[in-house]
Amino acid sequence: MLRFADHGAHLAALRAAALRAVDPASAVRRFFSPADVAGAERVFVVGAGKAGAAMARAAAEILGERLTVGVIAVPQLPTSAAERITFIEGGHPTPTEGTLLAGRAIAD
């Protein structure tokens, strides 16, 4: 049986490991590669949700110049941008003007 002298440090290490395991950008980096869109002439990134900004930035890094454009609806605008990706703040579960704007931008 494992014994830990400092339970607080042990819990902090477990929490940090759990957060690393579910990091949205890391998940994209693990499961998405340029080979996934090898035959595509243009690549668009669209999405919505709390993890959308981190996932879109990771996808943009992976795609590089292959990325045509992207639109992501997020509950709060991210502090850092991604080239060729537009982030639009929208409400959830109650739609806001931003939600409608994001939907129109994705459709366009």
Side-chain angles (χ1 to χ4, degrees), residues 26-102:
S26 294
V28 170
R29 289 183 191 104
R30 278 194 310 271
F31 297 106
F32 180 64
S33 75
D36 294 325
V37 292
E41 291 182 24
R42 299 187 306 165
V43 179
F44 299 88
V45 172
V46 297
K50 294 180 285 191
M55 295 176 85
R57 282 194 301 270
E61 290 169 13
I62 291 165
L63 291 167
E65 293 300 316
R66 300 204 56 191
L67 175 62
T68 302
V69 70
V71 176
I72 311 295
V74 293
Q76 183 177 0
L77 292 176
T79 55
S80 62
E83 195 172 327
R84 291 189 295 277
I85 294 183
T86 301
F87 296 101
I88 301 173
E89 189 171 340
H92 176 76
T94 304
T96 63
E97 284 299 317
T99 308
L100 298 174
L101 177 64

